[in-house]
Amino acid sequence: MRILVTNDDGIMSPGLVALAAALRDTGEVTVVAPEAQQSAVGHGITLHKPLRLRQTDIGIGVTAYASNGTPADCVILGSLGELGRPDVVVSGINAGANLGEEVLYSGTVSAALEAALHDIPAIAISVCAYEDVHLDVARRVAPLVLDALVRSPLAPGTVLNVNVPNVAADEIRGIALTRLGRRRYQDVVIKRSDPHGRPYYWFSGSPQETDSVPGTDIHAVRHNRISVTLVHFDLTSDGHWDGLGNLQTELGLS
Ligand code: MN
């Protein structure tokens, strides 16, 4: 099995190195990852500048390339180019949760979804902490999730979004299939002045985790369970909208 490993924290991230090492016994691992931090770049791809691949030694004897592109670029470069097509893409291990609406911003999850767009099975895996990240549980879980995915394939276009609580292995209370909750960030726009007196802006914010009802990813990790959410790129809602009838009338199309 050919495994493409990527992430959004950058190729020197301890989580990426741990993931690539953990999957070496499962298949032939190739790493293509951003050369620098790309968290929260979402599903962007690069169309207006050249992309580079630079072979890099990440210290574990795995073929690895750093790219100046986004996580989605890395999946495209690692799937459609001269490196050949992988059988599976695994993205992570991200430092920081990817819960609820965070999947919309997440480079980690977007890399997995990019793979799904090319009909390649994919997993995104994150640990729910930015600092003092315990990688041991995620490192052990990643090859097991991959085995399970190979034995039980997902519907086309669907990826596994795995979030691991940042606790020791003996504190993990199980694993749960979840749906996305809602974190609701308290966003802040900070305005300051540069040395020339011109204003600049910097986003900041912290999640409020308002939707922590049972069944959600947020609820699961809060109760020390590993959360597995099936995520599809199709954002269509199955709701109904009465406004369309009025619109048809006003447009003279009813
Ligand atoms: Mn990240």
Side-chain angles (χ1 to χ4, degrees), residues 8-9 37 39 94-95 108:
D8 74 0
D9 291 338
Q37 178 58 254
S39 290
N94 189 61
T108 308

Side-chain angles (χ1 to χ4, degrees), residues 7-10 13 37-40 93-98 106-108 126 130:
N7 76 344
D8 74 0
D9 291 338
S13 150
Q37 178 58 254
Q38 293 265 1
S39 290
I93 299 167
N94 189 61
N98 278 304
S106 171
T108 308
S126 308
Y130 295 101

Side-chain angles (χ1 to χ4, degrees), residues 164-182:
V164 179
N166 191 42
V167 297
D170 61 358
E171 292 176 66
I172 295 288
R173 292 287 168 265
I175 184 161
L177 193 65
T178 59
R179 60 182 169 79
L180 298 179
R182 183 82 205 270

Side-chain angles (χ1 to χ4, degrees), residues 49-135:
K49 66 176 185 183
L51 290 173
R52 311 278 181 186
L53 278 178
R54 179 170 49 84
Q55 193 153 6
T56 305
D57 182 3
I58 60 169
I60 55 167
V62 161
T63 304
Y65 300 88
S67 167
N68 57 333
T70 65
D73 287 330
C74 289
V75 171
I76 296 169
L77 287 167
S79 302
L80 305 182
E82 65 203 13
L83 299 178
R85 182 182 168 90
D87 299 304
V88 63
V89 171
V90 187
S91 179
I93 299 167
N94 189 61
N98 278 304
L99 302 165
E101 68 258 47
E102 286 165 343
V103 303
L104 296 173
Y105 301 98
S106 171
T108 308
V109 176
S110 294
L113 288 170
E114 181 62 32
L117 292 174
H118 301 285
D119 298 317
I120 300 167
I123 300 164
I125 183 163
S126 308
V127 174
C128 300
Y130 295 101
E131 290 169 6
D132 300 321
V133 180
H134 295 286
L135 290 170

